[in-house]
Structure formats: C-alpha cells, structure tokens
Amino acid sequence: QVHKIPQSIHDISNGDHILGFGVELAEHHPGFHDEEYKKRRSYIGNLAKLHKIGEPIPHVEYSDEEIKIWGEILGKLTYLHPTHACKRYLDTFQLFNFVPDRLPCLQELSEVLMMRTGWQIRPVAGLLHPTDFLNAMAFRTFHCTQYVRHGSQPMYTPEPDICHEILGHIPLLADPEFANLVQLIGLASLRASKQEMLHLTKLYWYTVEFGTVKERDGVKAFGAGLLSSFGELQHMLSGEDGSMPIFEDLDPFKKLPKMDHKCGFQKRYFLCENFSDVASKLTAYAKSL
Ligand code: H2B
Ligand code: FE
C-alpha cells in the first residue's frame, strides 16, 4: 500500500472519506427519525461534494427555521464569550459582524480569512476522515460543514454543523499566530505514520477543539468545541453540572488521553500559556517526526 504524500490541496478529496450522517451516533442523533431533515442535510452535503477548489462556495438559502437556530446559538454564546473566551477570539470575532437574523455564507467568511491569514474554507458534506481533515490544514484549508444542526436540540449537535464551524473555528483562523499553529499540525500530519496520525488527532483535539489558555483574569477557552457550546463553556469554569474538570499542562511528547466524543463534556482540559507556547511545543514535536 503506497501512501502518496499530498503536494497541494488538489490531492485531498473532500468527498471520498465522509463519515456519513449518523455513523455510530445513529440512534442518538436528534435528526435521525426526521426524513425532511435528512433530505435537507444531504441536499446541502451534495453541494459540497460538487465544489471544486478555486470556485466560489455554493450559496445556500437558509430557511427561517435554520436561521432561528443560528440566532439562538449566537445569542446565547455572545452572552458567555466576554467572560469565557480568550482575548484573541473576542478580537477576531469583531471582524465578522455576525447578526442573529442572517446566517453567514461560507464564501464571504473564506474571503475574510484569505485576506487576513491566507486560509480558505472548503465545504464538506459531513465529518471528514481525520487524515484528509488534518492534511488539508497543511495547505491552509479548513473543511466546513454547511448544514445546520437539528432544531429539536439547538444547543447540542453530535457532529460538526455550520454553527460550530462559524462560532468555534472561523474567528480564530483570522488570527495570524493561531492560523500558523493550526497549519503546523497539518504539516506534521503529511508524513505521519498511522500511530503518529492518531497522536496528532489528539493534539488537534486537545488544542484546536478543546484548548484553554491562561489569562490575567483566569482560564479562557480557545478550542472551538468549547467556544461553540454554551453548556461546555459553563462546565469548563464552574463544573456546574457537578463535575469540576481538571486542567493539565500540554506536553505533545506524552501519551494523551483517549478522546471522548460522546459522553458529555470533557473531564480534562489542557491549559496553555499562550499561542506561541502551543506553537513552539507543536514545532518541537513535529521536528521529532
Ligand atoms: N470533519 C469536519 N467536517 N469537521 C471537523 O471539525 C472535523 C472533521 N474534525 N473531521 C476532525 C475530523 C477532528 O475531530 C479530528 C482531526 O479527528
Ligand atoms: Fe471542530
């Protein structure tokens, strides 16, 4: 089996390795028994599959219900962000002028990123295989889902949706230092063995998805899984659900805990000094590969 190292984003498919709707989560997925919803999700997913790098991202006309879900999430999160999000996120968030009655389109967000940091967005039909997902980051490309989560549980989704991408990932990708750090993981992934790939997936998970950072007035979130989840942000600081999380220093050379995708909130977060601290640790690890 020859593994060809991708030379550019054109060598990475956004359609070959989608872990499709409801995989593993089938029965728990809030939209699993909603045929209308599944049709909508696959319609939007198919648009993504047809997209070619360099072309504008197809425009999706969102329904009133979808916009309502977005508006509700945006409203709740902007209430928590001032106290729970890291400073860099609060700064880059301002660039986008998000409003509750309009769901931003990926094309315009991609243009802002391109101007700020040279990153681009590529639409994807669902959860992409970690190898393709991480490899694409080497070429400053972030795969984003374009469908909206199911409306029965607006504050929860078992898989990424556009609200998670926009409110979790996009703002910080406009921060040059953070954008470089994300690319580092991507670059390290290009030649990684299977085992190293699993480790990089965990490094991604414990930084870009669930990372926390020390600031003058306490612990703040920079991970997208935190920034896009009202419940998880509260859990991070107060353990209001009765289980105070643990904070640990990140050491990329150490074995990292198994990722927990399903069972509620994270029990442990990795706490970093700042983005340049994360970047130098990741660089050191990448050099060892
Ligand atoms: N695919 C998509 N579409 N969005 C993600 O946020 C995502 C992904 N995350 N694939 C990846 C996997 C991540 O959880 C790691 C690398 O497995
Ligand atoms: Fe994510």
Side-chain angles (χ1 to χ4, degrees), residues 33 43-44 285:
H33 299 291
Y43 163 73
I44 296 175
Y285 174 72

Side-chain angles (χ1 to χ4, degrees), residues 142 160 164-165 169 204 209 224:
F142 199 83
H164 163 75
E165 318 287 18
H169 291 289
Y204 173 87
E209 284 296 342

Side-chain angles (χ1 to χ4, degrees), residues 3-13 131-132 134-136 138-139 186-187 189-192 197:
H3 172 68
K4 202 173 153 286
I5 296 163
Q7 304 294 311
S8 82
I9 189 64
H10 300 281
D11 292 340
I12 299 167
S13 159
T131 301
D132 296 330
L134 294 186
N135 283 349
F139 308 109
L187 289 167
S189 80
L190 288 179
R191 292 160 168 279
M197 189 62 84

Side-chain angles (χ1 to χ4, degrees), residues 213-256:
V213 59
K214 281 179 213 167
E215 286 187 1
R216 224 181 282 194
D217 54 338
V219 173
K220 306 285 168 170
F222 72 85
L226 276 160
L227 292 166
S228 67
S229 163
F230 189 82
E232 181 119 17
L233 276 175
Q234 284 184 313
H235 164 77
M236 170 190 87
L237 280 197
S238 61
E240 246 167 41
D241 48 327
S243 55
M244 199 57 199
I246 306 164
F247 291 92
E248 235 177 78
D249 286 339
L250 180 71
D251 180 352
F253 290 93
K254 273 203 196 142
K255 190 171 164 52
L256 291 164

